[in-house]
Amino acid sequence: MKKTNYTTVRKKAKGVHMIHQNLLKKHQLDPIAEKVMACLEGKVSPMLYGHLMMVVRGFDEEMQLEMAEDIVSFANEHIAHTTGVISADFTLDVCYLMIAYDHNILKKRVRSKIINRMHA
């Protein structure tokens, strides 16, 4: 399986060197947020579920719970929430796009761009 590279900085900037770290053991999912996120099972694809479970791990427990509630709400009702915290809101926006793609509710133009980038 190809490892996903979430950064485009190497493609966009000259002379960039990447150092990869694995901090997952230090950033666990809060047990309460994990229970909320479990509500996504069966509402999104298994691959997306696993990805969404990983996405919120880099935030503190309080923000994890808020983001988990917002993500589940979007998956259920397609209502997007924001937190007022730029990094969390950016992450939520990406999660909402992935759920919209998974639920097949993206606008055709946006879906086409995503599909074209996946096959480029």
Side-chain angles (χ1 to χ4, degrees):
M1 176 187 251
K2 181 181 173 188
K3 185 175 180 181
T4 305
N5 182 5
Y6 293 100
T7 182
T8 60
V9 70
R10 288 189 303 180
K11 296 177 185 175
K12 308 283 183 191
K14 295 178 184 178
V16 174
H17 300 280
M18 297 297 296
I19 298 172
H20 297 280
Q21 302 179 75
N22 188 348
L23 301 176
L24 289 177
K25 290 181 182 176
K26 292 182 180 180
H27 295 278
Q28 295 297 312
L29 190 56
D30 175 70
I32 298 170
E34 187 172 12
K35 285 180 183 177
V36 173
M37 293 291 284
C39 295
L40 292 171
E41 283 189 285
K43 295 183 181 181
V44 297
S45 67
M47 188 167 89
L48 179 56
Y49 175 73
H51 183 75
L52 292 171
M53 293 292 280
M54 297 294 286
V55 166
V56 298
R57 287 173 73 163
F59 295 89
D60 68 24
E61 291 149 353
E62 186 178 331
M63 187 59 77
Q64 284 183 10
L65 180 57
E66 179 62 38
M67 292 174 73
E69 290 170 345
D70 292 349
I71 290 167
V72 169
S73 175
F74 186 80
N76 289 332
E77 305 164 21
H78 301 140
I79 299 171
H81 299 263
T82 60
T83 65
V85 178
I86 293 171
S87 58
D89 287 342
F90 176 79
T91 302
L92 284 170
D93 197 45
V94 171
C95 291
Y96 298 155
L97 284 172
M98 289 187 294
I99 293 168
Y101 182 89
D102 197 62
H103 285 197
N104 200 25
I105 61 169
L106 277 181
K107 294 178 180 177
K108 287 182 182 179
R109 180 178 50 84
V110 176
R111 189 172 183 85
S112 295
K113 281 184 179 181
I114 291 172
I115 291 169
N116 288 340
R117 286 187 181 178
M118 289 170 42
H119 297 294

